[in-house]
Each structure stands twice: as structure tokens, then as C-alpha cells.
């Protein structure tokens, strides 16, 4: 089993470290052909506008959508959540449009309002140290989206089938429990996809 | 309990910028071009470094109107420069909601002896460095991000290369020292021992280190990534070139794919004239911005 980290821009190294500490091989994905060799993909934190520009330039958009449509798990953190969202508040077009959530960008304010806080995450931890940096949150979810965490009544982590998204940065701490949750998702999906 | 302004939050913001290009802009229109081209952040200025160099006199924090205009124009982070040691300029920028402050030698220093205690602020700071001693002193004062000083506004990469190589070489040196040698080394380079010990253990700086000061072409940006930069700042290089939009896009792509030489070749085709540039030996000692602080 192999998990890829989209390597166009952002906190790539940190995600590689956290997945590797779960004992899983990782690869940095810079070309769409590399998607064929992986079982799950992480869209890291960074600047969503920059990543979108590079996704378009290298013809990644359809390949990433096909990866998700094939049932392979994708985990988006912060900018990655924005890339996954079907809708972005105030913007005519979203990006990958894979997950039935509506995202609000920079929703907690500018950098000086960035914060860390301990959060309960359903099925993951009671006290996860979540680091929010110019973070988005989720405004609305479709009925089949499971809300995993909220902060001040805002949705900050959710799952829909093979898609997992969080507004904060689990990769910036040494707590790998959310990474492990995603690794388990990838394991289950690989088993299911193999049984077809 | 919610905690703001912690090291994780301040340094983490810079981690999110990795592999990206931060561009100097002087108005909303340039900021939008930068964002469209894929910049990860913009630095709002009154004048780009080459114009500061040409204008002479005292260079200060930009007019807040310009910073505000840029903040309203884009959704990516906005950085701004304060003079070295100018606590009030920095506080004003923080109050305005600027996302990152550059305590910068590009502006005329307000204090010729002390940098600010950046730990007092909620907003994170980036500072310039020429070697490991300078880098670690700035981290000690609370900088959450570093960049090479290079020689700003020259379009000449040689100083940025020198500074990046120097920092990298000294990190390797520190990694190879024994603990009984480390204290004397700390004394010699004027760096706090505890931070050096941490660098020795981890084999890298505890904050990201971008390249800055003289990057003028996509190949320059890729060179700095090759030498170990976490990302690049481009100052005068973009909006002093003949075709800023194309230049900006090409520099962004060359930074991401810095080892794809065929691609960089393609990106470099027909870019038009880059900024003219200045040879180092023609600069007199008082024109060297990098020597304005230690």
C-alpha cells in the first residue's frame, strides 16, 4: 500500500513524515501519471489558489477527479479541504468538487487570529491539538456527510465515504491519530476495490 | 482553550508557504496579477527594492493606504516591511491585520544595534540572514521564518547564493560537531547554544528559510530551490521585467518543478528582457543593504 501527497506547494514534508510514522510508504506526487501507483492521496495545506493554478497548468484536474470517482480515498487539510469542496462561498467556481460540502475561506480571520485548540474528533481523539492557520470552515454539508468535529459550532472536520477533510493542520503536530484514521480508510478501500 | 500567536501557529503559517513564490507588489493591480500567477503571498510595498535603491534617502514602512489596498484586493496572505528595530511601524502593521511582517534591511534601519523582540507580537516575522549566526540570532529574537538577504534590488543572484550556501554549510558543520565543541562554536558565531543544539539534533533549522535578494529569472528561482531554499521571494524581478504576468507565472512553475530542466527551458523561452541588474563590484560599501544589520 502506498499513499501519495500532492507535491505542488505547501506542507508536503510534514504529511510525508506523519504517514510514514504510521508505517506506510509515501510518495510525493508532482505528475498526474503518479496517481496510478497510489492507493490514497493527501491534499496538503498551502495556498489553494496557487495549487489550483498548478493543477490547471499540468492538466491534473480530471485525473484527480477520476482518482476520487474510482473510490480511492482523498484527505484534504486546510487548503486541501477547499480543493475538495463542491462549493466555495462567494466564488462562482469551486475546484475538484468531489465532496458535498460548502467551504468558507479564511473563515476565522487573518493570521493574527490563527490559533490552536484542543478538540474532540469523533472516532479519532477526545483532545486533539488542532492548529488553525488562516483556516477555512465548512458552512453546510449534504445529509450523507458525517461531521467529525466542530469548533464554536463551526464544522472543522468531516467525512463522506472515501473523502476526509479538516480545516486544521494535523501534520504540524506529532499527534498522528488523524493520519492513522486516514491510513485505515485507505486500507479498507484497497480491500474493497481489490474484491471487485 | 484557544491559544493565539504561539510558535506553532506563527511558524506553521510559513510552513504553508513552502515551495511557493512571494512577490513584491506596490498596488492592487500588481497584487491581483501576482495572485493570478500563483503567488503564495504578496509583499505590499511603496517601492520595489531597485526603486528604493535608485531613490536614495530614508526608506520607511509603506503608506498604510497601499497596504490596505493590497489586503482588500487579494485573498492570499499579505506581508509588509517594517524598519529594523522600528517597534511602532511593526505594531501599526500588526494592528492593520497584515499576515506577516518583514523586519527588513531593504528599509533604512531605525535601530543600528538591536532588532525587535518579535516574541512580543501575535503576528509572525520574517528576517534576513547571511550566515547561521545571524539566522539563529533572529530565531532567538522570535523570527518565525528566515530568508537569505542576498543583495536586494540588484537582479544579481550571487549574494543570495553565497548566503544560502553559507547557512547550509554551517548546518552540516553543526551536525558534525560533538557537544563539547558546540559551546565554543556558539560563542564564535554569536548564536544561542540551545537553538544550535536543536539544529544539531534535527539537521535543519527550526523555521523555514526562503531565498531572497536578486532573483530575476525562472532559472534563478530553481537554482535557489536546488540549493535548499524552502521557497523564494521575488522583489524587483517581476514588475521590473518587460512582461510581468508571464514572468510571474514562469517563476512560480520553475519553483515547483525546479528539477525539471526541460520545463525550465520552455518557461525561459521568449520571456522578454529581465531587469537589467547590477554587478556587485560597482556597489560602494554604503550601497550594500545586506550589511545594514548583523
Amino acid at each position: 500500500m502506498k499513499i501519495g501527497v500532492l507535491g505542488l506547494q505547501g506542507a508536503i514534508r510534514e504529511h510525508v513524515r506523519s504517514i510514514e510514522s504510521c508505517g506506510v510508504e509515501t510518495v510525493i506526487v508532482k505528475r498526474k501519471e503518479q496517481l496510478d501507483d497510489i492507493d490514497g492521496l493527501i491534499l496538503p495545506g498551502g495556498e489553494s489558489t496557487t495549487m489550483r493554478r498548478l493543477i490547471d497548468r499540468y492538466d491534473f484536474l480530471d485525473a484527480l477527479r477520476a482518482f476520487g470517482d474510482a473510490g480511492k480515498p482523498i484527505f484534504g487539510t486546510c487548503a486541501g479541504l477547499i480543493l475538495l469542496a463542491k462549493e466555495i462561498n462567494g466564488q462562482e467556481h469551486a475546484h475538484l468538487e468531489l465532496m458535498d460540502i460548502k467551504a468558507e475561506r479564511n473563515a476565522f480571520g487573518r493570521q493574527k487570529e490563527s490559533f490552536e485548540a484542543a478538540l474532540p474528533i469523533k472516532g479519532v481523539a477526545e483532545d486533539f491539538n488542532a492548529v488553525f492557520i488562516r483556516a477555512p470552515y465548512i458552512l453546510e454539508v449534504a445529509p450523507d456527510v458525517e461531521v467529525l468535529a466542530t469548533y464554536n459550532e463551526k464544522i472543522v472536520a468531516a467525512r463522506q465515504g472515501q473523502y476526509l477533510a479538516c480545516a486544521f493542520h494535523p501534520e504540524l503536530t506529532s499527534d498522528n491519530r488523524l493520519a492513522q484514521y486516514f491510513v485505515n480508510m485507505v486500507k479498507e478501500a484497497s480491500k474493497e476495490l481489490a474484491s471487485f | 482553550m484557544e491559544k493565539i500567536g504561539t510558535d506553532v501557529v506563527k511558524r506553521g503559517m510559513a510552513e504553508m508557504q513552502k515551495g511557493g513564490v512571494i512577490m513584491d507588489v506596490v498596488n492592487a493591480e500588481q497584487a491581483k496579477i501576482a495572485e493570478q500567477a500563483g503567488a503564495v503571498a504578496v509583499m505590499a510595498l511603496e517601492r520595489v527594492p531597485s526603486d528604493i535603491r535608485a531613490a536614495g534617502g530614508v526608506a520607511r514602512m509603506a503608506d498604510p493606504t497601499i497596504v490596505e489596498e493590497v489586503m482588500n484586493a487579494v485573498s492570499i496572505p499579505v506581508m509588509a516591511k517594517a524598519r529594523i528595530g522600528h517597534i511602532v511601524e511593526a505594531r501599526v502593521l500588526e494592528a492593520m491585520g497584515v499576515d506577516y511582517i518583514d523586519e527588513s534591511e531593504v528599509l533604512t534601519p531605525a535601530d543600528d544595534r538591536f532588532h525587535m523582540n518579535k516574541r512580543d507580537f501575535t503576528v509572525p516575522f520574517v528576517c534576513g540572514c547571511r550566515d547561521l549566526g545571524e539566522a539563529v540570532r533572529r530565531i532567538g529574537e522570535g523570527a518565525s521564518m528566515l530568508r537569505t538577504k542576498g543583495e536586494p534590488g540588484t537582479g544579481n543572484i550571487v549574494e543570495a547564493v553565497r548566503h544560502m550556501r553559507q547557512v547550509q554549510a554551517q548546518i552540516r558543520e553543526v551536525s558534525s560537531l560533538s557537544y563539547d565543541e558546540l559551546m565554543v562554536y556558539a560563542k564564535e558565531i554569536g548564536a544561542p547554544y540551545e537553538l544550535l543544539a536543536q539544529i544539531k539534533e534535527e539537521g535543519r533549522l527550526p523555521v523555514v528559510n526562503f531565498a531572497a535578494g536578486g532573483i530575476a529569472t525562472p532559472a534563478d528561482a530553481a537554482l535557489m530551490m536546488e540549493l535548499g531554499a524552502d521557497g523564494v521571494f521575488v522583489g524587483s524581478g517581476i514588475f521590473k521585467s518587460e512582461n510581468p504576468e508571464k514572468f510571474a507565472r514562469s517563476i512560480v512553475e520553475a519553483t515547483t518543478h525546479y528539477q525539471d530542466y526541460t520545463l525550465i527551458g520552455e518557461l525561459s523561452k521568449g520571456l522578454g528582457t529581465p531587469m537589467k541588474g547590477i554587478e556587485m563590484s560597482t556597489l560602494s560599501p554604503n550601497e550594500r543593504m545586506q550589511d545594514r544589520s548583523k
Side-chain angles (χ1 to χ4, degrees):
Chain A
M1 192 176 93
K2 222 189 269 184
I3 291 179
V5 180
L6 188 67
L8 298 175
Q9 190 271 318
I12 301 157
R13 180 169 73 205
E14 289 72 14
H15 273 296
V16 169
R17 180 201 50 74
S18 92
I19 295 295
E20 282 178 351
S21 354
C22 299
V24 175
E25 193 184 338
T26 60
V27 53
I28 294 173
V29 177
K30 285 200 170 201
R31 298 267 169 215
K32 62 178 177 180
E33 297 73 35
Q34 292 173 279
L35 293 172
D36 300 338
D37 304 325
I38 56 171
D39 306 290
L41 178 69
I42 291 177
L43 308 175
E47 285 306 320
S48 61
T49 50
T50 305
M51 285 191 231
R52 174 57 193 269
R53 156 102 195 95
L54 292 162
I55 283 171
D56 286 348
R57 179 67 177 79
Y58 297 101
D59 218 12
F60 244 119
L61 198 69
D62 290 339
L64 288 168
R65 281 181 178 153
F67 186 89
D69 288 339
K72 292 191 176 173
I74 304 182
F75 178 19
T77 62
C78 196
L81 177 153
I82 295 165
L83 291 179
L84 275 177
K86 195 151 274 179
E87 242 189 295
I88 300 168
N89 197 32
Q91 280 181 223
E92 208 175 317
H93 301 287
H95 306 294
L96 299 175
E97 300 174 355
L98 286 170
M99 193 173 171
D100 287 312
I101 56 174
K102 183 175 183 179
E104 171 90 345
R105 293 185 63 202
N106 302 334
F108 291 99
R110 303 195 73 99
Q111 173 58 20
K112 66 175 177 176
E113 278 98 37
S114 292
F115 62 97
E116 43 183 318
L119 288 185
I121 305 175
K122 207 170 152 189
V124 177
E126 284 306 308
D127 55 347
F128 196 88
N129 183 34
V131 182
F132 291 83
I133 295 175
R134 287 172 46 91
Y137 57 64
I138 300 169
L139 282 169
E140 291 164 25
V141 297
D144 63 333
V145 174
E146 190 188 6
V147 173
L148 300 179
T150 58
Y151 183 74
N152 288 349
E153 288 155 41
K154 313 293 185 199
I155 302 168
V156 294
R159 175 177 178 180
Q160 183 184 30
Q162 71 270 41
Y163 305 123
L164 177 66
C166 67
F168 48 89
H169 294 282
E171 75 281 10
L172 288 182
T173 68
S174 52
D175 188 338
N176 297 319
R177 286 178 289 179
L178 195 53
Q180 185 62 53
Y181 181 90
F182 180 63
V183 166
N184 295 344
M185 278 172 63
V186 178
K187 274 184 191 157
E188 282 159 30
S190 302
K191 244 185 265 167
E192 270 173 46
L193 292 171
S195 65
F196 279 124
Chain B
M1 247 332 269
E2 174 174 322
K3 290 175 283 181
I4 57 166
T6 59
D7 274 350
V8 176
V9 165
K10 284 156 69 167
R11 292 175 179 183
M13 158 76 199
E15 301 285 352
M16 297 309 138
Q17 305 268 295
K18 276 187 305 200
V21 183
I22 298 167
M23 302 182 191
D24 279 2
V25 298
V26 299
N27 55 41
E29 187 199 350
Q30 289 187 353
K32 282 184 184 145
I33 292 174
E35 184 175 46
Q36 275 302 312
V40 289
V42 289
M43 177 77 72
L45 292 163
E46 203 158 313
R47 283 193 286 249
V48 294
S50 65
D51 288 339
I52 289 175
R53 199 174 271 293
V58 173
R60 308 179 180 90
M61 170 184 85
D63 182 331
T65 322
I66 295 172
V67 180
E68 224 165 59
E69 181 188 317
V70 169
M71 284 169 63
N72 292 333
V74 293
S75 65
I76 54 176
V78 176
M79 302 186 172
K81 289 183 197 289
R83 281 181 270 176
I84 289 170
H86 206 308
I87 301 161
V88 173
E89 284 187 351
R91 285 292 183 196
V92 168
L93 293 172
E94 180 181 52
M96 289 177 67
V98 161
D99 297 297
Y100 235 90
I101 296 176
D102 186 357
E103 186 181 22
S104 177
E105 69 285 357
V106 169
L107 305 181
T108 312
D111 191 320
D112 61 1
R113 207 159 128 70
F114 303 112
H115 282 72
M116 282 179 257
N117 175 23
K118 294 164 273 288
R119 293 182 191 281
D120 273 356
F121 290 76
T122 305
V123 67
F125 280 77
V126 54
C127 284
C129 62
R130 292 168 298 180
D131 53 41
L132 189 63
E134 220 172 5
V136 177
R137 284 194 292 281
R138 297 296 87 81
I139 298 170
E141 294 156 359
S144 308
M145 177 183 193
L146 294 168
R147 53 170 176 77
T148 59
K149 284 180 165 177
E151 190 53 46
T154 60
N156 189 337
I157 195 75
V158 66
E159 296 299 305
V161 167
R162 185 206 311 282
H163 300 158
M164 186 55 74
R165 279 204 183 272
Q166 180 65 22
V167 171
Q168 301 285 353
Q170 286 180 287
I171 292 171
R172 287 193 298 272
E173 193 181 355
V174 164
S175 306
S176 71
L177 292 178
S178 66
Y179 280 99
D180 33 18
E181 293 164 332
L182 198 63
M183 184 60 85
V184 169
Y185 189 80
K187 187 185 92 180
E188 282 168 1
I189 70 166
Y193 175 86
E194 273 70 24
L195 279 170
L196 277 184
Q198 190 190 341
I199 292 165
K200 173 179 164 52
E201 275 152 35
E202 291 170 9
R204 60 182 187 87
L205 293 167
V207 302
V208 304
N209 187 18
F210 272 44
I215 294 154
T217 67
D220 284 350
L223 170 64
M224 296 313 301
M225 295 300 287
E226 181 78 46
L227 293 176
D230 289 311
V232 297
F233 282 88
V234 187
S236 322
I238 289 168
F239 291 99
K240 285 287 159 189
S241 73
E242 204 174 299
N243 188 342
E245 274 175 276
K246 204 168 165 193
F247 239 88
R249 279 201 309 269
S250 303
I251 287 185
V252 168
E253 285 171 36
T255 303
T256 302
H257 296 283
Y258 65 93
Q259 286 176 322
D260 187 338
Y261 309 114
T262 314
L263 174 78
I264 297 169
E266 286 301 315
L267 295 171
S268 307
K269 281 181 187 167
L271 273 182
T273 320
M275 66 183 286
K276 182 163 177 275
I278 301 171
E279 212 295 298
M280 285 309 138
S281 60
T282 63
L283 285 179
S284 62
N286 63 6
E287 289 173 315
R288 286 166 59 92
M289 290 173 172
Q290 60 175 287
D291 298 333
R292 284 170 161 179
S293 70
K294 292 187 175 69

Short mmCIF file of all heavy atoms in Angstrom, two decimals, chain A residues 106-115 132-135, chain B residues 4 9 13 42 67-68 70-79 93-100 122-124:
data_model
loop_
_atom_site.label_atom_id
_atom_site.label_comp_id
_atom_site.label_asym_id
_atom_site.label_seq_id
_atom_site.Cartn_x
_atom_site.Cartn_y
_atom_site.Cartn_z
N ASN A 106 -10.64 31.43 4.64
CA ASN A 106 -10.13 32.36 5.67
C ASN A 106 -11.21 32.72 6.68
O ASN A 106 -11.36 33.89 7.06
CB ASN A 106 -9.58 33.64 5.02
CG ASN A 106 -8.46 33.35 4.02
OD1 ASN A 106 -7.77 32.34 4.14
ND2 ASN A 106 -8.28 34.21 3.05
N ALA A 107 -11.96 31.71 7.11
CA ALA A 107 -13.20 31.96 7.83
C ALA A 107 -12.98 32.42 9.27
O ALA A 107 -13.85 33.05 9.85
CB ALA A 107 -14.04 30.68 7.82
N PHE A 108 -11.84 32.11 9.84
CA PHE A 108 -11.57 32.53 11.22
C PHE A 108 -10.81 33.85 11.28
O PHE A 108 -10.43 34.30 12.34
CB PHE A 108 -10.78 31.44 11.96
CG PHE A 108 -11.58 30.19 12.23
CD1 PHE A 108 -11.45 29.08 11.40
CD2 PHE A 108 -12.46 30.13 13.30
CE1 PHE A 108 -12.18 27.93 11.65
CE2 PHE A 108 -13.19 28.97 13.55
CZ PHE A 108 -13.06 27.87 12.73
N GLY A 109 -10.54 34.46 10.12
CA GLY A 109 -9.85 35.75 10.10
C GLY A 109 -8.46 35.65 9.53
O GLY A 109 -8.10 34.65 8.91
N ARG A 110 -7.67 36.70 9.75
CA ARG A 110 -6.33 36.76 9.20
C ARG A 110 -5.34 36.04 10.12
O ARG A 110 -5.72 35.50 11.15
CB ARG A 110 -5.92 38.22 8.97
CG ARG A 110 -6.88 38.98 8.06
CD ARG A 110 -6.26 40.27 7.56
NE ARG A 110 -5.22 40.03 6.58
CZ ARG A 110 -5.41 40.13 5.25
NH1 ARG A 110 -6.56 40.49 4.74
NH2 ARG A 110 -4.40 39.89 4.43
N GLN A 111 -4.05 36.10 9.77
CA GLN A 111 -3.05 35.35 10.53
C GLN A 111 -3.05 35.66 12.03
O GLN A 111 -2.88 34.77 12.85
CB GLN A 111 -1.65 35.59 9.93
CG GLN A 111 -0.49 34.98 10.72
CD GLN A 111 -0.59 33.47 10.90
OE1 GLN A 111 -1.30 32.79 10.16
NE2 GLN A 111 0.09 32.96 11.89
N LYS A 112 -3.23 36.93 12.40
CA LYS A 112 -3.15 37.22 13.85
C LYS A 112 -4.28 36.55 14.64
O LYS A 112 -4.20 36.42 15.85
CB LYS A 112 -3.05 38.72 14.13
CG LYS A 112 -4.25 39.54 13.76
CD LYS A 112 -4.04 40.99 14.23
CE LYS A 112 -5.23 41.84 13.79
NZ LYS A 112 -5.16 43.21 14.27
N GLU A 113 -5.34 36.13 13.94
CA GLU A 113 -6.41 35.38 14.61
C GLU A 113 -6.19 33.87 14.56
O GLU A 113 -6.99 33.11 15.10
CB GLU A 113 -7.77 35.71 13.98
CG GLU A 113 -8.41 37.00 14.47
CD GLU A 113 -8.17 38.17 13.54
OE1 GLU A 113 -8.16 37.99 12.31
OE2 GLU A 113 -7.97 39.29 14.04
N SER A 114 -5.14 33.42 13.88
CA SER A 114 -4.85 31.98 13.82
C SER A 114 -4.61 31.45 15.23
O SER A 114 -4.09 32.16 16.08
CB SER A 114 -3.61 31.74 12.95
OG SER A 114 -3.91 32.06 11.61
N PHE A 115 -4.98 30.16 15.48
CA PHE A 115 -4.94 29.67 16.86
C PHE A 115 -4.75 28.16 16.91
O PHE A 115 -4.86 27.48 15.89
CB PHE A 115 -6.26 30.04 17.58
CG PHE A 115 -7.49 29.41 16.95
CD1 PHE A 115 -8.02 28.23 17.46
CD2 PHE A 115 -8.10 29.99 15.85
CE1 PHE A 115 -9.15 27.64 16.89
CE2 PHE A 115 -9.22 29.40 15.26
CZ PHE A 115 -9.75 28.24 15.78
N PHE A 132 -5.03 25.86 13.70
CA PHE A 132 -5.80 26.55 12.65
C PHE A 132 -5.00 27.73 12.13
O PHE A 132 -4.69 28.65 12.89
CB PHE A 132 -7.12 27.06 13.21
CG PHE A 132 -8.11 25.97 13.57
CD1 PHE A 132 -8.03 25.32 14.80
CD2 PHE A 132 -9.11 25.61 12.70
CE1 PHE A 132 -8.95 24.34 15.14
CE2 PHE A 132 -10.04 24.62 13.02
CZ PHE A 132 -9.95 23.98 14.25
N ILE A 133 -4.65 27.74 10.84
CA ILE A 133 -3.87 28.83 10.27
C ILE A 133 -4.62 29.45 9.10
O ILE A 133 -4.82 28.80 8.08
CB ILE A 133 -2.48 28.32 9.84
CG1 ILE A 133 -1.71 27.89 11.09
CG2 ILE A 133 -1.72 29.41 9.10
CD1 ILE A 133 -0.39 27.26 10.83
N ARG A 134 -5.10 30.67 9.29
CA ARG A 134 -5.94 31.32 8.26
C ARG A 134 -6.93 30.29 7.72
O ARG A 134 -7.12 30.15 6.51
CB ARG A 134 -5.06 31.87 7.13
CG ARG A 134 -4.27 33.13 7.53
CD ARG A 134 -3.25 33.53 6.46
NE ARG A 134 -3.81 33.52 5.12
CZ ARG A 134 -4.37 34.57 4.52
NH1 ARG A 134 -4.42 35.73 5.13
NH2 ARG A 134 -4.87 34.47 3.31
N ALA A 135 -7.54 29.60 8.63
CA ALA A 135 -8.27 28.37 8.28
C ALA A 135 -9.66 28.63 7.70
O ALA A 135 -10.29 29.62 8.04
CB ALA A 135 -8.39 27.48 9.51
N ILE B 4 -3.60 31.94 20.76
CA ILE B 4 -3.16 32.62 19.53
C ILE B 4 -1.69 32.99 19.64
O ILE B 4 -1.12 33.03 20.74
CB ILE B 4 -4.00 33.90 19.24
CG1 ILE B 4 -3.95 34.88 20.42
CG2 ILE B 4 -5.45 33.56 18.91
CD1 ILE B 4 -4.45 36.27 20.07
N VAL B 9 1.69 28.19 15.57
CA VAL B 9 0.81 28.95 14.68
C VAL B 9 1.63 29.91 13.81
O VAL B 9 1.38 30.05 12.61
CB VAL B 9 -0.25 29.71 15.52
CG1 VAL B 9 -0.93 30.77 14.71
CG2 VAL B 9 -1.27 28.73 16.10
N MET B 13 2.41 29.00 9.73
CA MET B 13 1.98 29.86 8.61
C MET B 13 3.06 29.86 7.52
O MET B 13 2.75 29.76 6.32
CB MET B 13 1.74 31.27 9.18
CG MET B 13 1.81 32.39 8.20
SD MET B 13 0.33 32.52 7.17
CE MET B 13 1.00 33.51 5.85
N VAL B 42 1.84 38.03 -1.09
CA VAL B 42 2.44 39.22 -1.69
C VAL B 42 3.03 40.08 -0.58
O VAL B 42 2.57 40.06 0.57
CB VAL B 42 1.43 40.06 -2.51
CG1 VAL B 42 1.05 39.35 -3.79
CG2 VAL B 42 0.19 40.41 -1.69
N VAL B 67 -0.93 49.35 1.71
CA VAL B 67 -1.03 48.02 2.34
C VAL B 67 -2.50 47.60 2.39
O VAL B 67 -2.86 46.46 2.06
CB VAL B 67 -0.41 48.05 3.75
CG1 VAL B 67 -0.51 46.67 4.40
CG2 VAL B 67 1.05 48.50 3.68
N GLU B 68 -3.36 48.54 2.78
CA GLU B 68 -4.79 48.26 2.88
C GLU B 68 -5.39 47.91 1.52
O GLU B 68 -6.16 46.95 1.39
CB GLU B 68 -5.49 49.52 3.41
CG GLU B 68 -6.52 49.26 4.46
CD GLU B 68 -6.89 50.56 5.17
OE1 GLU B 68 -7.35 51.51 4.49
OE2 GLU B 68 -6.67 50.63 6.39
N VAL B 70 -3.89 46.61 -1.01
CA VAL B 70 -3.44 45.26 -1.40
C VAL B 70 -4.21 44.20 -0.60
O VAL B 70 -4.66 43.20 -1.15
CB VAL B 70 -1.92 45.12 -1.21
CG1 VAL B 70 -1.47 43.67 -1.35
CG2 VAL B 70 -1.17 46.01 -2.20
N MET B 71 -4.40 44.45 0.70
CA MET B 71 -5.14 43.49 1.54
C MET B 71 -6.57 43.29 1.03
O MET B 71 -7.12 42.19 1.09
CB MET B 71 -5.16 43.94 3.01
CG MET B 71 -3.84 43.70 3.72
SD MET B 71 -3.73 44.51 5.34
CE MET B 71 -5.04 43.71 6.22
N ASN B 72 -7.17 44.37 0.53
CA ASN B 72 -8.54 44.26 0.03
C ASN B 72 -8.62 43.62 -1.35
O ASN B 72 -9.67 43.15 -1.75
CB ASN B 72 -9.19 45.65 -0.02
CG ASN B 72 -9.42 46.21 1.36
OD1 ASN B 72 -9.56 45.47 2.33
ND2 ASN B 72 -9.41 47.53 1.48
N ALA B 73 -7.49 43.59 -2.07
CA ALA B 73 -7.52 43.12 -3.45
C ALA B 73 -7.36 41.61 -3.59
O ALA B 73 -7.80 41.03 -4.57
CB ALA B 73 -6.43 43.83 -4.25
N VAL B 74 -6.70 40.96 -2.61
CA VAL B 74 -6.38 39.54 -2.78
C VAL B 74 -6.79 38.72 -1.56
O VAL B 74 -6.95 39.26 -0.46
CB VAL B 74 -4.86 39.32 -3.03
CG1 VAL B 74 -4.45 39.91 -4.37
CG2 VAL B 74 -4.01 39.90 -1.91
N SER B 75 -6.95 37.39 -1.78
CA SER B 75 -7.30 36.51 -0.65
C SER B 75 -6.08 35.76 -0.12
O SER B 75 -6.15 35.11 0.91
CB SER B 75 -8.37 35.51 -1.10
OG SER B 75 -7.85 34.64 -2.08
N ILE B 76 -4.94 35.83 -0.82
CA ILE B 76 -3.72 35.21 -0.31
C ILE B 76 -3.12 36.10 0.79
O ILE B 76 -3.49 37.27 0.90
CB ILE B 76 -2.68 34.98 -1.45
CG1 ILE B 76 -2.40 36.27 -2.22
CG2 ILE B 76 -3.15 33.88 -2.40
CD1 ILE B 76 -1.33 36.13 -3.30
N PRO B 77 -2.20 35.57 1.61
CA PRO B 77 -1.64 36.37 2.70
C PRO B 77 -0.89 37.61 2.19
O PRO B 77 -0.31 37.59 1.11
CB PRO B 77 -0.66 35.42 3.39
CG PRO B 77 -1.08 34.05 2.99
CD PRO B 77 -1.70 34.18 1.64
N VAL B 78 -0.94 38.66 3.01
CA VAL B 78 -0.23 39.91 2.66
C VAL B 78 0.84 40.17 3.71
O VAL B 78 0.57 40.16 4.92
CB VAL B 78 -1.22 41.09 2.60
CG1 VAL B 78 -0.48 42.40 2.34
CG2 VAL B 78 -2.26 40.85 1.51
N MET B 79 2.05 40.37 3.24
CA MET B 79 3.17 40.71 4.11
C MET B 79 3.52 42.19 3.91
O MET B 79 3.16 42.77 2.89
CB MET B 79 4.40 39.88 3.76
CG MET B 79 4.19 38.38 3.85
SD MET B 79 5.76 37.50 3.58
CE MET B 79 5.28 35.82 3.99
N LEU B 93 1.45 47.80 11.55
CA LEU B 93 1.16 46.76 10.55
C LEU B 93 0.37 45.62 11.19
O LEU B 93 -0.57 45.09 10.61
CB LEU B 93 2.46 46.24 9.93
CG LEU B 93 3.21 47.26 9.06
CD1 LEU B 93 4.58 46.70 8.66
CD2 LEU B 93 2.41 47.64 7.81
N GLU B 94 0.75 45.27 12.44
CA GLU B 94 0.03 44.20 13.14
C GLU B 94 -1.43 44.61 13.38
O GLU B 94 -2.36 43.84 13.13
CB GLU B 94 0.71 43.90 14.49
CG GLU B 94 0.02 42.79 15.27
CD GLU B 94 0.70 42.52 16.61
OE1 GLU B 94 0.92 43.48 17.39
OE2 GLU B 94 1.04 41.36 16.87
N ALA B 95 -1.62 45.86 13.81
CA ALA B 95 -2.98 46.35 14.08
C ALA B 95 -3.83 46.35 12.81
O ALA B 95 -5.03 46.13 12.85
CB ALA B 95 -2.93 47.74 14.70
N MET B 96 -3.18 46.61 11.67
CA MET B 96 -3.91 46.62 10.40
C MET B 96 -4.32 45.22 9.95
O MET B 96 -5.13 45.08 9.04
CB MET B 96 -3.04 47.22 9.29
CG MET B 96 -2.82 48.71 9.42
SD MET B 96 -1.71 49.27 8.12
CE MET B 96 -2.75 48.98 6.69
N GLY B 97 -3.70 44.19 10.55
CA GLY B 97 -4.06 42.82 10.20
C GLY B 97 -3.17 42.22 9.12
O GLY B 97 -3.52 41.19 8.53
N VAL B 98 -2.00 42.82 8.89
CA VAL B 98 -1.02 42.23 7.96
C VAL B 98 -0.68 40.83 8.46
O VAL B 98 -0.60 40.58 9.67
CB VAL B 98 0.22 43.14 7.91
CG1 VAL B 98 1.43 42.42 7.38
CG2 VAL B 98 -0.08 44.39 7.09
N ASP B 99 -0.50 39.87 7.54
CA ASP B 99 -0.32 38.47 7.94
C ASP B 99 1.10 38.11 8.37
O ASP B 99 1.31 37.13 9.08
CB ASP B 99 -0.76 37.54 6.80
CG ASP B 99 -2.24 37.69 6.49
OD1 ASP B 99 -3.06 37.39 7.37
OD2 ASP B 99 -2.58 38.14 5.38
N TYR B 100 2.09 38.85 7.89
CA TYR B 100 3.48 38.56 8.21
C TYR B 100 4.26 39.87 8.09
O TYR B 100 4.02 40.64 7.17
CB TYR B 100 4.08 37.57 7.20
CG TYR B 100 4.68 36.33 7.84
CD1 TYR B 100 3.91 35.20 8.06
CD2 TYR B 100 6.03 36.32 8.24
CE1 TYR B 100 4.46 34.07 8.64
CE2 TYR B 100 6.57 35.19 8.83
CZ TYR B 100 5.78 34.07 9.03
OH TYR B 100 6.31 32.94 9.62
N THR B 122 1.85 39.08 18.19
CA THR B 122 0.99 37.96 17.77
C THR B 122 1.27 37.64 16.30
O THR B 122 1.22 36.49 15.88
CB THR B 122 -0.50 38.33 17.93
OG1 THR B 122 -0.70 38.73 19.28
CG2 THR B 122 -1.40 37.16 17.62
N VAL B 123 1.55 38.67 15.51
CA VAL B 123 1.84 38.49 14.09
C VAL B 123 3.25 37.88 13.96
O VAL B 123 4.15 38.21 14.74
CB VAL B 123 1.73 39.84 13.34
CG1 VAL B 123 2.81 40.81 13.76
CG2 VAL B 123 1.73 39.66 11.84
N PRO B 124 3.45 36.95 13.02
CA PRO B 124 4.79 36.40 12.83
C PRO B 124 5.71 37.31 12.01
O PRO B 124 5.23 38.16 11.26
CB PRO B 124 4.52 35.09 12.08
CG PRO B 124 3.19 35.25 11.44
CD PRO B 124 2.43 36.28 12.20
#
